[in-house]
Amino acid sequence: RRLPSVMRLNAILLSCLLFLIPGLPAQDKPKNGAGSLSPIQVKKALEGIVHGSATERQKLHDTVLRAFGMKNLAQGRAPAKIEQSTVVWAILDPQPATVVSEDGTLIGEMIRLGDDGLQVLAREMPNFSDIRYRVESGGMPRMAGSAHVEHYEYTADSLPKADVPKGRLEKFEWKDSKVFPDTVRDVTVYLPANHRAGEETCVMVWQDGTRHADPNGSMRVPVVFDNLIHQKAMPRTVGIFIDPGRKPQQKPGDKAANRGFEYDSLGDAYVRFLLEEIIPEVEKRHGTKFRQTPAAWAIGGGSSGGICAFTTAWERPDKFGKVLSWVGSFVDLRGGHVYPSLIRITERKPVRVYLLDGENDLDNLFGNWPLANKQMAAALKYMNYDYRMDWNQCFHGSKGMAPVLPEALRWLWRDVR
């Protein structure tokens, strides 16, 4: 929807501040590092400026500008920032501004931080809420958006411990695929602490690999592996974290163009890619030797990566005997909605399946994710599979899976040592 002409003029004039006001940051993207504050810290700072000095107010003003980006603020394109259940909004506008919910309910009046019109609001919002909001000034909408408030606490098994030996991560690029030609991808390999070439281990493959291999990311898989292996709650396992294929002209970090095709398609292409290309390459590079029993081979992923994990084991249960899937896309993206029916009419396969989804997951033209996962669980139960279905209030993503990953892996590996 087009902004009224006065609002467009305001946006243009405010953008000019980038060049006219000395000392304002020129970057459009948030800056992390020295001088930055998290949403919780911004909220605390806002509570303190009532009795604070002009210097403290100016410091908070400059920090908020850096965090949201001057140009984004001036153009009304700075979405709310969220940490745990704290939400922070910011805008540049000469008139007093408020934040209201979609139905017009007042969320709060924004606090002015400077003469340039910078205004901020920080609020503690209910957990597991989908906030659709508008920022208004002078009776007119200046910005609109949505914010998912979704916070979980990690257990000790997702936190690094000084007395637990650490595995190591090795990375390589794979661009010689014959199954998925004209693609490039990064592969990260987790090797357990004190891994020796030729040591016989279990193996677990992860889709969307880079984000899950990050020890400081949401899932923290290497940290969980370290802790559970040390506790002997799971066997010594090599993790293979594989990114979806991007086209050669794409840069690392770009949204992988081949992801949907690789992950959501039914059939054996992806498992052939693993067995014929990636796993042999890992064996060659690192001297890995994997136990030759399906009980020692697992695969996991979320969303489209979740249905990909199930398809891999469904096609080759003689290789992959364990599946970890969260917010799995068992909907009609590329035909995956047929799985509940296929499970019911196909002889039971020797596969153990862990599923997790949340009541706030997606519902769109491709299907209803919670309903699709309930259908999967019902079909697995009907066919007497070794399965587990966990539910929480998560939205689509990995936040709901991350804190329960240690318990899920304990269940998945419970009889393998």
Side-chain angles (χ1 to χ4, degrees):
R1 181 179 300 175
R2 288 194 169 187
L3 294 172
S5 58
V6 173
M7 295 175 65
R8 291 202 303 273
L9 180 59
N10 282 343
I12 294 170
L13 291 174
L14 287 167
S15 296
C16 294
L17 291 171
L18 179 63
F19 305 100
L20 298 178
I21 299 179
L24 288 180
Q27 72 277 0
D28 298 335
K29 295 183 180 179
K31 179 185 285 185
N32 296 319
S36 64
L37 292 178
S38 71
I40 291 176
Q41 291 171 321
V42 170
K43 182 174 181 291
K44 184 176 180 181
L46 281 172
E47 293 167 350
I49 64 169
V50 176
H51 304 292
S53 66
T55 300
E56 290 171 329
R57 182 180 288 265
Q58 185 63 43
K59 182 178 179 182
L60 180 58
H61 169 281
D62 295 345
T63 299
V64 171
L65 278 176
R66 283 195 297 270
F68 282 86
M70 174 63 193
K71 186 177 179 181
N72 292 334
L73 286 165
Q75 294 180 348
R77 296 179 179 177
K81 294 187 178 297
I82 307 167
E83 181 186 13
Q84 297 183 9
S85 55
T86 298
V87 185
V88 175
W89 294 267
I91 196 167
L92 272 171
D93 196 282
Q95 302 185 69
T98 59
V99 181
V100 299
S101 62
E102 189 176 38
D103 63 2
T105 302
L106 178 68
I107 294 176
E109 297 180 354
M110 303 189 83
I111 299 172
R112 184 178 295 274
L113 292 182
D115 295 336
D116 58 355
L118 179 65
Q119 301 175 61
V120 183
L121 176 68
R123 280 286 184 271
E124 197 77 14
M125 304 300 292
N127 203 6
F128 308 113
S129 57
D130 182 11
I131 305 164
R132 300 180 186 275
Y133 63 85
R134 298 191 305 274
V135 179
E136 297 181 346
S137 68
M140 297 294 293
R142 283 278 285 113
M143 180 173 64
S146 63
H148 287 165
V149 179
E150 180 182 14
H151 175 62
Y152 298 87
E153 294 289 345
Y154 289 102
T155 68
D157 289 328
S158 293
L159 306 177
K161 299 178 177 62
D163 61 340
V164 172
K166 307 295 189 292
R168 73 178 193 272
L169 298 173
E170 303 284 350
K171 193 170 184 177
F172 66 90
E173 185 180 72
W174 185 248
K175 53 185 177 181
D176 300 320
S177 180
K178 294 181 174 57
V179 178
F180 300 120
D182 197 32
T183 61
V184 181
R185 72 195 70 229
D186 292 326
V187 180
T188 305
V189 180
Y190 166 89
L191 299 167
N194 305 313
H195 175 78
R196 302 178 303 278
E199 174 191 4
E200 192 173 70
T201 69
C202 297
V203 61
M204 188 165 187
V205 173
W206 298 78
Q207 278 66 250
D208 296 308
T210 295
R211 73 177 75 160
H212 303 321
D214 183 356
N216 300 310
S218 174
M219 294 289 284
R220 307 180 181 185
V221 178
V223 175
V224 176
F225 270 28
D226 288 340
N227 289 332
L228 296 191
I229 291 171
H230 181 68
Q231 298 167 19
K232 301 191 184 316
M234 67 176 283
R236 287 176 63 79
T237 302
V238 169
I240 305 177
F241 300 82
I242 309 168
D243 284 346
R246 63 183 189 272
K247 296 302 181 181
Q249 64 270 22
Q250 291 188 283
K251 298 177 182 178
D254 288 350
K255 185 177 180 180
N258 220 42
R259 184 178 186 270
F261 176 70
E262 293 176 9
Y263 287 3
D264 293 308
S265 298
L266 306 190
D268 69 349
Y270 194 80
V271 72
R272 287 192 293 106
F273 164 72
L274 295 179
L275 297 177
E276 297 171 11
E277 299 182 9
I278 298 300
I279 290 176
E281 183 68 16
V282 172
E283 291 172 330
K284 181 177 73 174
R285 284 174 176 264
H286 301 291
T288 55
K289 182 180 180 183
F290 303 128
R291 299 188 199 179
Q292 293 304 302
T293 171
W297 288 47
I299 183 166
S303 185
S304 293
I307 190 174
C308 178
F310 184 82
T311 298
T312 297
W314 180 262
E315 293 292 332
R316 291 296 302 271
D318 60 312
K319 283 294 185 181
F320 288 89
K322 302 182 189 300
V323 172
L324 176 74
S325 170
W326 64 95
V327 297
S329 298
F330 299 101
V331 294
D332 193 10
L333 291 170
R334 290 181 179 268
H337 63 297
V338 304
Y339 269 132
S341 296
L342 281 178
I343 291 168
R344 290 174 180 271
I345 62 174
T346 304
E347 182 178 354
R348 178 165 51 92
K349 302 188 179 189
V351 176
R352 177 176 294 169
V353 182
Y354 176 93
L355 303 173
L356 178 139
D357 202 4
E359 298 294 346
N360 289 305
D361 203 354
L362 295 174
D363 183 15
N364 58 34
L365 72 163
F366 299 108
N368 180 288
W369 268 248
L371 178 59
N373 277 273
K374 288 177 181 178
Q375 292 275 35
M376 286 291 293
L380 293 169
K381 179 179 180 180
Y382 177 77
M383 291 301 293
N384 200 30
Y385 272 77
D386 182 3
Y387 86 101
R388 172 171 168 173
M389 178 86 232
D390 281 350
W391 284 93
N392 56 33
Q393 298 183 65
C394 72
F395 294 92
H396 196 73
S398 296
K399 283 189 175 180
M401 183 71 240
V404 299
L405 179 62
E407 174 59 24
L409 291 178
R410 280 193 177 89
W411 181 84
L412 205 63
W413 294 104
R414 65 187 186 273
D415 54 1
V416 183
R417 293 294 179 265

